[in-house]
Amino acid sequence: MTWQISSGSNSEPYSVHSGLIRQGEADHRQLRLIRLQNEMQVLLIHDVNSPTAAVGLCVSVGSLHEPVDCPGLAHFCEHMVHEGVAYINSDKYPAGRIGNDTASTAFRETNYLSTIDHDALEDKIQRFASFLSRPVFLKNVIFEQVLCVQSEFQNYLQDDERRIADLDKYLSKSGDPWSAFDIGNWETLTAAGKVPPSHGKIDDSAEWIETLRSKLQEWYSKYYCANRMHLVIIGSHPIDELTSMATKYFSPMAAGTVGPQASATTFDSPWSADEEGTVVLVKTVKELREIEVRWIMPSQTLLYRVKPLDYLTRFLHHQGEGSLYRILHDRGWIDGLSASRYAGDRERGFETYYVAFMVTESGWYAWEAVVAALHKYISLVRDTVIKDPEFACAVQQELCSLSELDFRFRETLKPSAEAKLLSSNLAKRIPPADLIMGPYVTEAWDVALVSATLAMLTPCKARVTLKGRESLKDVELRGTRVASDGAAWSQTPWFNTEHIVLRYAGSNWPAYSSDDATAGGFQLFGPNPYVPKDFTVVGGKKDGVEPILAPRKIVETSLAKLWYKLDDRFGECKGSVTFDIRSDLEDTPRGELFDLILAKLLNDHISEDVGNAAQCYLKCSFYCQSVLINKVVNFVVTPDSLQLAQDYVRRKLQNAFLGSSVDLAEGTLTYLLEEDATESATEKLREMDAVNVSAIQERLSNIVKQVCILGPVHGNFTEKSARDMLQLVQEVLRCGTPSSTDSEAISTRNYLLPEGCNFVYDAPINNKADENSGLAWVCQIGEKTSAPLRARLILFTAIAATSISDQLRFTEALGYTFKVKCLVGSTTIAFRVSIQSSTHSPAYLEQRLEACLGEQVRQRLSEIKEDEFERTFKLPRARGLRPQPANVHREANMFWKCISARDTKFNQDELVAQSIESLKPVDVLQFFDEYIDPRSRARRKLSVHLRSARHAPHITPSVNLRAFRSTLFPNNTPCPKVCH
């Protein structure tokens, strides 16, 4: 690695990496990697096309560095740093908070991200560096953030993914650090101060706060040092300016005495022989019926040139003839399969590889055969490496060429996601040349490495986890039921996840017999037919010619409307084709149920082509799409396939009742305000008895009988090819009779609440074990087509969000899940606040929200200064409505967003931006007085209260949801259908 000492005229000395950092062909950003004198590494990215600036900091410390007596300290520290940075005052930005900040804690790293306006980048960097250098852990913030961590923990108690991840770590060998509780809660954090568990009651004892503060400061001083930090800055500023910002503000940070460890070259597994070869039965909140087979593997982080596990994953994800998926699916045992790597501990040199099956009822009973089939298939793949080296080498060459193709035309991620990925890559000690390219591209073939890796995936090394609820009682192991009444279930200490662990020696695993499968047994997938060959560019940017801002309509008939735009901005061999095929069929509960079942049937039917195309990284292959359309139109429903799809949809609808309380409250709001919306899962489940082969087949026939087609073709396509594609779709669909539906009309309209209303829908949540209540509160503003109203709503939401969050989430600690949103519906706009809380009822949450609106929000609007209003709110929001697309697909998404919203003039956002630019602070205050203020006689307010069992209703619980909606809109008159 070559580093050269350098120093700008006004900056601290630093070293510059002089080697090449490999970038994709479409990546025109300027990169510079520097190392400060305190050993902090900083990657600077000059990107004039980035819609926002971004800062990403990865600190090489996480939950595995926590002291034994304080689980959750790393997570708590993340909260404290995140909030501390946000509250540092600034003369330039007196509001305290700027940008959109997020943070997360992993096993060996903690990530801090900020997406901000380019003009605010230096101020953000200054704040961040100031707090990291001189943290001030205020006592009142400590108290607030302990409650936030507690609330976050309670949110996870009904989350199956979190519960099972905690269980998997818990079932490590005795005393292994990997088994530690990593989220933290009130009990573990206050236990550091020797305070007994308070069982949810608030204890503001200064003694425990001071003890926790001392422990936090000691831990922070040890691990939050410059040589463990990895920074990425993305901005439109010249690269020298970005360099100056980084060196000026981060150079003063001290290097610590405890440096980060590099990724281990040895393999230290958290499992002993006792944890291998086991079967775990785990009770889930939702009825999942899932089989997961998991192995502890050597870390693949530094094996990125070969990516040995990708060789196996390629075959496992294949869904064609002879594949593991196809054979088990055709047997009626599974309706889904996934395989992936999962995070581990890179300092100990391990990670996880798992294969998960979503199984049917018959597959649940045959779980041993499903797992045996997996082992047989892995053995077959493993044998090809040694016994058929020519075939294996060809497969790897295809993986290499496809990954190189993907990277060659790689589109950059959103700025915050890109900053997080690259700062994490720096922390992983990936060589500078491969910082961007390494995780994407497979470059080599190593027979010994791939063979040795696959040799570890044996039955005797695996853990099989059966995830279910009521169905667990029917599970048999070697012909004996193991979870019948009276079975001894264990519980995890924090999530109380019930489970049973059984031994199943791998050598005794039943052999899989091809007699049980389709004729011919397993076959390995050869060359992929969807590998692209033609990279001719037909468009591209022309010097001195400004890109066209919108597509033009090239087809307008009673059957179809088609927009087209040749790529004149990027010059890439990429494109996007979207056809929205709409039918006259009325949306009823029965019809929507049939459509869900049809979607599952058709997705299974076309899965082979979709999977093959996806492995080639094709966002759109029209050959693939034409094949799929033919398969859809000519699809024949069979009793066996229908039974599997119906079972899948039934479980999905039943599980819908077990979502988070705040998501359910938001869904209820949507139902109440949308025309023709069905009552979520309830009404659809009532129609299950109407499902049969002829009914579903008839539904498909009716869907394609009378259609209208709407869509854009954009990118590397000629106008002739766009017309040809539409013609092909029409021929395949045998379009002859046009739909009576106006293809440019809004398909779903919103009801508009009456002025002066104050409606409340109150009901208990279905999941009695969930202690969280949910509030979804909305004030409707008016019709979506009013640019002045949308402009005022956007600015009001931006200003009010911070005041509401600061007061209710942090000062009053009402809940962790907290969302403030400018809601743009099909035909109306609204201001929505959603809160989830385990400590307070929805009625109390609404009471405090109304008080906050009338006090803190009104005060903030009254006191805001003209310069702050202009710089912090107006300019960024107006600029955000005029984004410069970073790539072909983002530009295509902008067009499709307008077309799908039926804004076919493509100018609604521009009109809103112009309205924003004309506004003054008094305009937003007047908007608040009329539409939001609790004292307003004109506001249109509706709230949904979904109560947990611990919260009693404050009013008489509401009647049936459909009956309640009829009281809101007795005249049943939604907004107009056409909005352009």
Side-chain angles (χ1 to χ4, degrees):
M1 184 183 298
T2 303
W3 294 92
Q4 296 180 349
I5 302 295
S6 180
S7 177
S9 57
N10 298 311
S11 65
E12 299 285 341
Y14 59 91
S15 299
V16 181
H17 176 68
S18 58
L20 176 69
I21 300 176
R22 296 189 288 177
Q23 299 172 248
E25 184 175 304
D27 186 353
H28 303 298
R29 301 172 300 172
Q30 183 182 1
L31 310 181
R32 178 181 290 172
L33 177 63
I34 66 174
R35 185 175 62 200
L36 307 183
Q37 286 189 314
N38 56 19
E39 299 186 21
M40 180 188 293
Q41 288 193 352
V42 185
L43 179 64
L44 306 158
I45 302 177
H46 166 63
D47 185 0
V48 294
N49 294 319
S50 180
T52 61
V55 178
L57 179 74
C58 179
V59 188
S60 292
V61 62
S63 60
L64 290 173
H65 298 89
E66 293 170 346
V68 177
D69 66 342
C70 195
L73 185 62
H75 182 204
F76 175 65
C77 182
E78 168 228 306
H79 277 248
M80 292 297 298
V81 171
H82 181 246
E83 291 312 309
V85 171
Y87 279 108
I88 290 180
N89 199 10
S90 163
D91 293 335
K92 187 176 181 183
Y93 292 91
R97 289 168 177 261
I98 54 171
N100 180 22
D101 300 339
T102 59
S104 60
T105 303
F107 302 124
R108 289 291 182 185
E109 62 185 47
T110 304
N111 295 280
Y112 300 93
L113 304 171
S114 184
T115 302
I116 48 204
D117 190 69
H118 290 285
D119 294 340
L121 176 60
E122 183 170 4
D123 185 78
K124 185 64 177 185
I125 292 174
Q126 181 183 8
R127 293 177 183 219
F128 210 71
S130 296
F131 185 87
L132 290 171
S133 300
R134 298 176 296 277
V136 180
F137 298 128
L138 301 176
K139 287 186 178 182
N140 65 314
V141 179
I142 288 176
F143 180 73
E144 293 167 5
Q145 293 309 311
V146 169
L147 292 179
C148 279
V149 171
Q150 169 68 10
S151 181
E152 186 175 353
F153 165 68
Q154 288 178 310
N155 286 349
Y156 294 144
L157 289 176
Q158 299 299 307
D159 185 324
D160 281 321
E161 184 176 349
R162 282 281 186 169
R163 291 164 60 86
I164 294 171
D166 175 75
L167 170 65
D168 188 70
K169 291 170 76 266
Y170 173 71
L171 296 178
S172 300
K173 59 190 177 186
S174 179
D176 193 278
W178 185 246
S179 64
F181 177 51
D182 56 4
I183 299 172
N185 58 18
W186 174 272
E187 183 176 343
T188 65
L189 293 172
T190 58
K194 310 303 181 186
V195 175
S198 60
H199 304 293
K201 296 180 181 179
I202 295 177
D203 180 356
D204 57 358
S205 164
E207 182 179 352
W208 74 259
I209 293 178
E210 185 57 45
T211 304
L212 178 58
R213 184 170 183 263
S214 298
K215 185 174 285 289
L216 175 62
Q217 288 175 322
E218 178 184 355
W219 189 83
Y220 181 93
S221 298
K222 180 178 180 180
Y223 291 109
Y224 271 68
C225 41
N227 57 333
R228 299 183 77 97
M229 293 181 179
H230 315 275
L231 180 67
V232 173
I233 301 175
I234 301 173
S236 60
H237 303 69
I239 199 75
D240 288 338
E241 287 187 22
L242 296 176
T243 303
S244 178
M245 293 180 199
T247 56
K248 178 180 179 181
Y249 296 115
F250 283 95
S251 291
M253 290 193 63
T257 57
V258 182
Q261 292 184 355
S263 298
T265 56
T266 57
F267 176 48
D268 179 15
S269 174
W271 293 359
S272 67
D274 292 336
E275 285 72 46
E276 298 172 338
T278 57
V279 178
V280 179
L281 278 62
V282 54
K283 286 186 180 180
T284 56
V285 174
K286 296 182 178 181
E287 184 57 86
L288 296 182
R289 278 216 306 255
E290 183 176 317
I291 303 170
E292 181 185 274
V293 185
R294 181 179 291 253
W295 294 266
I296 299 294
M297 302 291 293
S299 175
Q300 307 287 297
T301 300
L302 298 181
L303 305 179
Y304 56 85
R305 293 185 184 277
V306 179
K307 300 181 177 65
L309 284 171
D310 283 7
Y311 183 84
L312 172 63
T313 304
R314 186 253 194 192
F315 292 106
L316 289 173
H317 282 167
H318 177 49
Q319 297 188 4
E321 189 70 25
S323 67
L324 176 65
Y325 172 87
R326 181 54 52 193
I327 286 179
L328 297 182
H329 180 273
D330 289 348
R331 187 65 192 266
W333 285 351
I334 69 171
D335 51 30
L337 184 158
S338 61
S340 182
R341 295 163 51 198
Y342 182 74
D345 184 353
R346 62 174 179 263
E347 290 188 10
R348 292 174 58 186
F350 75 83
E351 64 181 51
T352 302
Y353 186 76
Y354 71 88
V355 182
F357 300 93
M358 282 56 74
V359 298
T360 64
E361 185 175 1
S362 59
W364 190 248
Y365 294 124
W367 72 270
E368 290 169 292
V370 171
V371 176
L374 170 64
H375 291 313
K376 176 68 175 179
Y377 194 72
I378 291 175
S379 176
L380 180 64
V381 174
R382 182 168 55 238
D383 288 347
T384 64
V385 179
I386 301 300
K387 297 180 179 179
D388 195 348
E390 184 176 344
F391 173 81
C393 186
V395 169
Q396 187 75 354
Q397 286 176 349
E398 182 181 280
L399 289 173
C400 290
S401 61
L402 286 174
S403 65
E404 191 279 330
L405 177 66
D406 179 45
F407 183 74
R408 176 183 171 190
F409 299 109
R410 173 183 178 255
E411 297 172 348
T412 56
L413 305 173
K414 291 182 178 180
S416 59
E418 188 82 356
K420 180 178 181 179
L421 173 67
L422 295 177
S423 61
S424 183
N425 286 351
L426 283 171
K428 292 180 175 69
R429 302 300 179 93
I430 292 177
D434 299 330
L435 270 176
I436 299 176
M437 184 175 180
Y440 286 90
V441 180
T442 304
E443 298 184 90
W445 173 238
D446 187 327
V447 174
L449 177 59
V450 175
S451 180
T453 301
L454 299 187
M456 299 184 69
L457 300 172
T458 61
C460 64
K461 294 288 186 181
R463 171 184 291 167
V464 179
T465 303
L466 304 181
K467 310 173 186 179
R469 197 169 59 166
E470 297 300 323
S471 54
L472 283 175
K473 64 180 183 295
D474 300 321
V475 171
E476 293 185 353
L477 181 63
R478 298 195 188 100
T480 302
R481 287 194 177 186
V482 294
S484 56
D485 294 340
W489 291 87
S490 300
Q491 289 187 336
T492 56
W494 299 107
F495 285 85
N496 298 322
T497 306
E498 293 187 89
H499 61 281
I500 295 176
V501 181
L502 306 165
R503 291 293 306 172
Y504 203 135
S507 59
N508 295 326
W509 200 274
Y512 175 76
S513 171
S514 61
D515 294 338
D516 294 331
T518 55
F522 294 128
Q523 301 173 23
L524 295 184
F525 175 44
N528 194 317
Y530 293 109
V531 176
K533 302 288 194 303
D534 185 3
F535 302 106
T536 304
V537 176
V538 298
K541 183 174 176 59
K542 297 180 180 179
D543 293 338
V545 179
E546 288 297 316
I548 298 172
L549 298 179
R552 58 188 175 88
K553 191 184 294 183
I554 61 172
V555 174
E556 183 169 16
T557 69
S558 59
L559 290 170
K561 292 182 174 67
L562 182 68
W563 285 262
Y564 167 76
K565 181 178 183 293
L566 176 68
D567 170 34
D568 58 354
R569 188 186 295 270
F570 303 103
E572 301 176 6
C573 56
K574 289 185 176 184
S576 176
V577 180
T578 302
F579 289 124
D580 182 10
I581 303 172
R582 302 180 59 200
S583 172
D584 277 341
L585 295 183
E586 183 181 1
D587 289 330
T588 64
R590 179 174 297 185
E592 291 191 3
L593 172 65
F594 286 5
D595 291 345
L596 287 173
I597 293 173
L598 264 175
K600 175 59 179 172
L601 286 166
L602 294 172
N603 278 324
D604 286 344
H605 186 56
I606 65 177
S607 61
E608 177 179 359
D609 296 280
V610 171
N612 291 344
Q615 287 194 352
C616 294
Y617 309 103
L618 295 183
K619 300 292 189 297
C620 176
S621 164
F622 195 73
Y623 167 70
C624 175
Q625 297 301 322
S626 63
V627 170
L628 302 188
I629 295 172
N630 270 300
K631 285 190 171 185
V632 168
V633 171
N634 299 313
F635 177 68
V636 177
V637 182
T638 65
D640 289 344
S641 63
L642 177 58
Q643 181 179 351
L644 296 179
Q646 186 176 3
D647 177 60
Y648 172 87
V649 171
R650 179 184 286 109
R651 276 186 287 125
K652 185 176 180 179
L653 292 174
Q654 290 170 341
N655 285 334
F657 295 115
L658 301 173
S660 72
S661 58
V662 72
D663 289 342
L664 292 172
E666 291 177 351
T668 302
L669 262 186
T670 300
Y671 165 77
L672 291 173
L673 295 175
E674 276 191 4
E675 178 195 25
D676 299 329
T678 58
E679 191 179 332
S680 185
T682 305
E683 294 183 354
K684 298 184 185 76
L685 285 170
R686 293 194 190 113
E687 299 292 340
M688 275 292 178
D689 291 341
V691 175
N692 57 64
V693 170
S694 60
I696 299 298
Q697 192 74 61
E698 182 182 3
R699 179 73 176 181
L700 176 60
S701 300
N702 290 335
I703 286 174
V704 300
K705 188 176 295 182
Q706 288 186 312
V707 299
C708 62
I709 302 171
L710 182 75
V713 173
H714 167 64
N716 195 45
F717 301 103
T718 63
E719 182 174 333
K720 180 180 183 303
S721 65
R723 293 178 183 273
D724 289 346
M725 285 188 275
L726 175 62
Q727 182 64 31
L728 177 59
V729 172
Q730 291 177 313
E731 290 174 357
V732 171
L733 292 174
R734 297 186 286 275
C735 294
T737 304
S739 165
S740 61
T741 302
D742 180 359
S743 61
E744 291 186 53
I746 301 296
S747 57
T748 300
R749 298 178 293 175
N750 298 125
Y751 289 105
L752 189 61
L753 293 164
E755 287 189 357
C757 67
N758 184 27
F759 293 116
V760 177
Y761 176 80
D762 182 278
I765 60 175
N766 288 282
N767 184 1
K768 304 303 180 186
D770 191 351
E771 297 183 351
N772 295 293
S773 292
L775 167 69
W777 178 100
V778 70
C779 270
Q780 276 189 319
I781 307 305
E783 294 189 14
K784 174 183 174 180
T785 50
S786 173
L789 277 182
R790 281 185 65 184
R792 286 162 171 78
L793 174 60
I794 288 171
L795 287 179
F796 168 76
T797 304
I799 297 169
T802 300
S803 297
I804 294 173
S805 181
D806 288 349
Q807 178 64 29
L808 302 184
R809 181 183 175 190
F810 300 115
T811 301
E812 300 187 28
L814 297 185
Y816 174 75
T817 302
F818 215 100
K819 295 181 276 186
V820 181
K821 186 173 183 180
C822 167
L823 197 63
V824 180
S826 300
T827 53
T828 62
I829 55 176
F831 175 67
R832 189 186 72 192
V833 179
S834 306
I835 310 174
Q836 181 168 291
S837 176
S838 61
T839 55
H840 300 287
S841 70
Y844 181 79
L845 297 177
E846 178 164 347
Q847 175 189 337
R848 297 309 306 149
L849 172 61
E850 295 278 4
C852 178
L853 289 169
E855 298 170 15
Q856 284 80 16
V857 173
R858 165 169 281 285
Q859 181 179 356
R860 177 77 173 109
L861 293 171
S862 302
E863 296 177 350
I864 192 169
K865 298 295 189 292
E866 181 72 36
D867 60 339
E868 180 194 355
F869 181 78
E870 182 85 15
R871 182 180 58 251
T872 308
F873 298 105
K874 274 181 58 174
L875 293 181
R877 270 74 196 176
R879 190 180 295 121
L881 290 165
R882 299 178 177 125
Q884 292 296 316
N887 53 59
V888 170
H889 285 118
R890 290 186 191 173
E891 186 173 42
N893 288 339
M894 289 167 50
F895 298 148
W896 176 240
K897 175 185 174 183
C898 292
I899 293 173
S900 61
R902 307 312 186 244
D903 171 25
T904 52
K905 293 183 180 179
F906 303 96
N907 67 344
Q908 189 66 28
D909 283 353
E910 175 59 31
L911 294 177
V912 176
Q914 292 175 10
S915 292
I916 286 177
E917 291 171 335
S918 68
L919 294 177
K920 302 292 184 183
V922 66
D923 298 318
V924 180
L925 180 59
Q926 290 172 353
F927 168 86
F928 168 78
D929 288 339
E930 180 175 357
Y931 293 99
I932 309 293
D933 192 332
R935 298 171 298 181
S936 171
R937 296 182 178 181
R939 76 169 186 169
R940 300 176 169 98
K941 178 252 147 186
L942 167 66
S943 60
V944 172
H945 297 183
L946 295 186
R947 294 173 285 100
S948 69
R950 67 189 303 178
H951 296 138
H954 78 294
I955 60 174
T956 303
S958 302
V959 293
N960 172 274
L961 190 57
R962 181 171 288 276
F964 179 80
R965 187 170 71 168
S966 67
T967 66
L968 302 181
F969 311 105
N971 297 325
N972 199 37
T973 54
C975 291
K977 277 209 169 190
V978 180
C979 71
H980 57 84

